[in-house]
Amino acid sequence: MPEHTGETRNEQLTRNVAELLQELRVAQAGVQILFGFLLSVVFTDRFHDASGFEKSLHLAAVMLAVASTALLTAPAAWHRLLFRTGSRERILTVGNRLVLVGLVCLALAITSTVSLIAKVVYGEIAMGIVGVLSALIFGGLWFVIPIRLHPDNDDDTQPTGPPK
């Protein structure tokens, strides 16, 4: 059922773009912290002694953080470049998809990073356990639960939350 807020279509699009950009601020902070950490690691003495696998996993985490940064900042750049061109609906449609892919990249970057840390500190078994647990946490909290909470997945017809 569509949301009835009493807004015009333009007001709704404006609000939706503002909400998208606000949500991106939260995700971008996580990406920036992770990216800074990943960049600083290569300048440590311990990194130079890392195995080829560990260096490859680190580079994969860096590239996932780069992809996440690009994907999560694109809607803000588009909004600025296309300001007042009547492109809000397109920015929202495509931007939403990019943000979802950016969040997947961020989850994979974090999972790769903590897996690498677990490998260096405790070994391969810990890397596997930490990697799987991290992927399950992100997958569950960011994707599975929201999909299950989606109104289309309700079996009963009685509303149990705020109006849609």
Side-chain angles (χ1 to χ4, degrees):
M1 182 153 64
E3 184 178 355
H4 297 289
T5 61
E7 300 171 308
T8 66
R9 180 71 179 140
N10 189 48
E11 290 170 336
Q12 184 182 32
L13 288 172
T14 300
R15 178 177 53 82
N16 290 160
V17 167
E19 288 173 359
L20 175 66
L21 296 176
Q22 182 60 34
E23 291 165 1
L24 290 174
R25 286 183 185 96
V26 174
Q28 287 171 350
V31 173
Q32 290 169 341
I33 292 166
L34 176 64
F35 197 54
F37 166 76
L38 289 169
L39 293 177
S40 67
V41 166
V42 299
F43 298 107
T44 65
D45 291 333
R46 179 116 188 219
F47 183 79
H48 297 289
D49 297 331
S51 70
F53 173 78
E54 293 165 349
K55 289 178 180 177
S56 296
L57 186 56
H58 176 267
L59 183 59
V62 169
M63 292 311 298
L64 286 164
V66 167
S68 183
T69 300
L71 290 161
L72 293 173
T73 57
W78 294 357
H79 179 260
R80 193 52 22 216
L81 290 168
L82 300 172
F83 187 67
R84 294 190 178 159
T85 63
S87 302
R88 283 189 186 116
E89 189 160 5
R90 193 75 179 133
I91 291 169
L92 280 169
T93 301
V94 179
N96 184 62
R97 292 179 188 136
L98 290 181
V99 168
L100 291 174
V101 174
L103 288 173
V104 169
C105 288
L106 176 57
L108 291 172
I110 293 170
T111 298
S112 300
T113 302
V114 297
S115 296
L116 176 60
I117 291 168
K119 163 111 177 32
V120 170
V121 176
Y122 295 108
E124 292 177 9
I125 293 172
M127 178 186 76
I129 292 169
V130 167
V132 168
L133 286 175
S134 295
L136 289 173
I137 290 168
F138 282 112
L141 290 174
W142 286 9
F143 301 102
V144 173
I145 291 174
I147 289 169
R148 301 228 21 202
L149 291 174
H150 194 279
D152 291 346
N153 293 332
D154 287 343
D155 291 332
D156 61 320
T157 57
Q158 293 294 335
T160 58
K164 298 173 189 156

